[in-house]
Amino acid sequence: MKPVQPDVVSPPQVSTSAARTDLASPTAQLQLGDKTVQLPIVVGTENDRAVDISHLREHSGFITLDEGYANTGACCSSISYVDGDKGILRYRGIPIEQLAEHSTFVETAWFLIYGELPTADQLRNFRRLLTEHEMLHEGLHNMFNGFPQHAPPMATLSAMINACSCYHPDILAPEDRSTFESAAARLISKVRTIAAASYKTSIGHPIVYPNPKLSYCENFLHMMFTIPNQPYEPDEQIVRALNLLLILHADHEQNCSTSTVRMVASSGANLFASCAAGVCALWGPLHGGANVAVIETLDMLHKSKIDPKDYIAKVKDKSSGIRLMGFGHRVYKYYDPRAQILRAVADKLLSTLKINDPLLDIARRLEEIALQDSYFKDRHLYPNVDFYSGIVMRAMGLPVNMFTVLFAIGRTPGWVAHWKEVRDNVHKRIDRPRQVYIGHTLRDYIPVEMR
Ligand code: ACO
């Protein structure tokens, strides 16, 4: 995997980005004017192939330009594998379908972070650590009083995760294994306590303390739904659905929020600061915020009785500026396997709980129409993880403004695993992209009275 050094060439005369990769040889050749630059080819364990351009500028004066990073590998990683053409997702080699069926969120979290399925002892110890760290410092609790009641829970979540840095200075540089384990467990445990507390604050209810006797998912539901003098008894089906939902969201290689976490981590920032940044990146409607946008769309279609066919026609009309939320993906050009699982879960959960949600019918209809339409077929637009997740969360009784927060709880182990991978990389350098400057060329300052 270690790339060989490219041959040194003199600076090129003309600009061209035409690269030719010869997959039979260990290098690619890039023709820049009359100069040829040899570039190493890096091959991953699943035969992903990349042209290593890390020394290109040094040897040629050129950089590469790839806005949105659609074609840029930012790192080598061994955490999750996605084959977007075949609709494959694996965590540490294990297909997502197997983990969804057999694992729990806590086990999957440990697996993602440490790379192997935990032994019974390791799992017990991790559970113990999660329970040990489930409480928030009272100083953090008091901070909830400072947020306006209707503060978006994603804003609160990010601020509070970052604020954890103030209360746990002993684990800000978790270099040794036990300190890291403690920091990772604190974050994964507290993110759920913070999330539930931000919801309680947003509805003006008293914050519910965690109950150490409950499992990770039961405890979250308890903190969300217990009200004074009215304990909440979590339904077994809902607990299982929550486990599954969190497993499906736990990692997804170099997505926007994970890349953000890695970038912040590359500067040496601590785990809490890096993951707080991840929450901010996840919030956007083109990323984790899409699960809210999907439900809002379905709800709007239901209330206004707009025919899904007419809505799809509107989406196809580019002048409308409307996208079918929960559809399309940068990497998947086939059905997102997580969407496939969630579609089945939505069907099963709603029928078990005897819920008749008209939004599920509308979603199915939209999907059916879109998948037969050449606009979507030609662009390889399929349902992504967010298309059915909101319907599952609604059935679990979770409010819409918590949907992206749930995504963040699920994604936290993935962020932790990536933070660790960055920290453990002995060749790590700070992430610092370059740019092609297109602003003014040299000009002089003009005093204000002369402007
Ligand atoms: N509805 C309608 N058209 C779409 C959609 C959509 N949801 N997604 C992409 N397209 C069209 C684009 O208009 C574009 O058409 P064109 O070639 O005629 O210009 C083409 O498909 C390619 O789209 P891009 O925006 O270039 O694709 P990109 O890879 O940059 O974006 C993204 C991926 C952001 C997910 C996009 O598909 C999208 O906006 N989807 C809706 C939001 C969403 O569901 N986000 C969640 C993604 S999963 C996640 O983050 C957890």
Side-chain angles (χ1 to χ4, degrees):
M1 286 276 291
K2 200 169 182 311
V4 290
Q5 287 291 317
D7 293 349
V8 179
V9 294
S10 44
Q13 309 302 307
V14 294
S15 163
T16 168
S17 59
R20 185 177 71 81
T21 54
D22 182 353
L23 299 178
S25 78
T27 60
Q29 291 181 358
L30 178 63
Q31 193 69 41
L32 294 165
D34 57 355
K35 302 293 177 206
T36 302
V37 186
Q38 302 286 339
L39 297 165
I41 289 176
V42 177
V43 183
T45 50
E46 288 286 350
N47 286 325
D48 286 338
R49 283 171 292 221
V51 179
D52 177 355
I53 52 96
S54 51
H55 293 277
L56 177 64
R57 184 174 177 278
E58 188 185 319
H59 298 306
S60 70
F62 280 73
I63 61 167
T64 55
L65 180 63
D66 180 20
E67 277 194 44
Y69 308 128
N71 205 47
T72 294
C75 60
C76 294
S77 175
S78 55
I79 301 168
S80 59
Y81 171 70
V82 177
D83 182 332
D85 296 327
K86 295 190 184 133
I88 290 174
L89 168 61
R90 296 181 200 141
Y91 294 166
R92 303 273 190 193
I94 299 186
I96 190 65
E97 293 80 2
Q98 289 185 25
L99 290 164
E101 190 175 345
H102 303 295
S103 189
T104 62
F105 176 61
V106 168
E107 181 184 62
T108 298
W110 202 96
F111 175 50
L112 277 170
I113 296 167
Y114 299 105
E116 292 298 335
L117 288 168
T119 62
D121 272 355
Q122 287 166 330
L123 192 54
R124 206 173 303 116
N125 186 46
F126 188 47
R127 288 209 171 104
R128 184 187 57 73
L129 277 176
L130 292 175
T131 303
E132 199 175 293
H133 296 304
E134 64 190 5
M135 300 273 289
L136 299 182
H137 188 288
E138 275 306 298
L140 279 168
H141 255 220
N142 294 338
M143 281 180 66
F144 281 104
N145 297 328
F147 292 103
Q149 187 184 330
H150 298 294
M154 284 298 273
T156 318
L157 184 68
S158 169
M160 295 300 285
I161 290 177
N162 211 4
C164 284
S165 309
C166 312
Y167 290 90
H168 305 289
D170 49 319
I171 50 158
L172 293 191
E175 298 300 336
D176 71 89
R177 184 170 167 125
S178 71
T179 314
F180 170 77
E181 273 180 14
S182 166
R186 271 175 219 235
L187 179 59
I188 292 168
S189 187
K190 289 184 198 308
V191 71
R192 145 200 75 158
T193 312
I194 294 170
S198 54
Y199 169 61
K200 286 294 192 186
T201 308
S202 78
I203 56 167
H205 281 193
I207 291 171
V208 176
Y209 285 91
N211 177 349
K213 293 198 182 100
L214 299 176
S215 71
Y216 188 93
C217 288
E218 287 168 344
N219 214 346
F220 173 68
L221 294 166
H222 151 72
M223 289 188 278
M224 283 288 293
F225 297 123
T226 295
I227 47 179
N229 303 318
Q230 208 175 308
Y232 169 82
E233 280 295 324
D235 181 293
E236 208 184 298
Q237 299 298 326
I238 294 181
V239 174
R240 180 66 208 138
L242 180 56
N243 259 295
L244 198 136
L245 192 90
L246 297 179
I247 291 171
L248 294 182
H249 286 86
D251 195 48
H252 207 247
E253 49 122 298
Q254 307 307 317
N255 58 84
C256 178
S257 55
T258 302
S259 299
T260 301
V261 170
R262 290 187 76 113
M263 178 170 268
V264 178
S266 80
S267 76
N270 72 68
L271 184 65
F272 297 106
S274 305
C275 292
V279 172
C280 296
L282 187 71
W283 193 0
L286 295 188
H287 190 14
N291 57 18
V292 172
V294 170
I295 285 293
E296 286 172 351
T297 304
L298 297 175
D299 201 39
M300 179 275 291
L301 293 178
H302 176 57
K303 287 186 179 136
S304 60
K305 298 194 180 354
I306 294 175
D307 189 320
K309 236 184 181 154
D310 296 338
Y311 188 71
I312 293 286
K314 234 176 173 176
V315 168
K316 286 161 54 182
D317 173 7
K318 291 276 174 143
S319 68
S320 74
I322 296 173
R323 285 192 168 198
L324 182 56
M325 300 310 278
F327 254 71
H329 197 276
R330 173 61 62 80
V331 181
Y332 291 117
K333 300 303 161 201
Y334 187 62
Y335 219 112
D336 178 338
R338 301 166 301 175
Q340 218 141 15
I341 296 170
L342 282 167
R343 189 186 201 276
V345 171
D347 282 346
K348 195 170 162 205
L349 189 65
L350 267 69
S351 96
T352 315
L353 300 178
K354 301 193 178 13
I355 296 172
N356 180 15
D357 188 347
L359 302 200
L360 178 59
D361 299 330
I362 297 173
R364 281 211 208 97
R365 184 84 188 106
L366 284 172
E367 179 190 341
E368 192 188 343
I369 299 165
L371 294 187
Q372 285 169 10
D373 192 295
S374 60
Y375 175 96
F376 293 86
K377 284 206 265 192
D378 295 351
R379 291 170 178 77
H380 307 286
L381 301 172
Y382 289 85
N384 60 47
V385 66
D386 295 315
F387 195 65
Y388 286 105
S389 64
I391 290 172
V392 172
M393 288 190 263
R394 251 163 82 91
M396 291 161 63
L398 292 162
V400 176
N401 69 350
M402 288 296 286
F403 286 6
T404 316
V405 173
L406 258 289
F407 193 151
I409 298 173
R411 187 53 56 89
T412 301
W415 291 335
V416 173
H418 283 269
W419 185 92
K420 181 174 183 291
E421 198 171 66
V422 172
R423 186 207 62 177
D424 291 348
N425 180 1
V426 287
H427 302 293
K428 97 169 163 229
R429 301 177 77 193
I430 189 167
D431 286 359
R432 204 305 188 181
R434 289 192 175 257
Q435 64 168 14
V436 175
Y437 176 71
I438 54 166
H440 283 285
T441 52
L442 182 66
R443 55 181 179 153
D444 288 324
Y445 175 79
I446 304 167
V448 68
E449 61 279 8
M450 293 174 67
R451 285 175 222 159

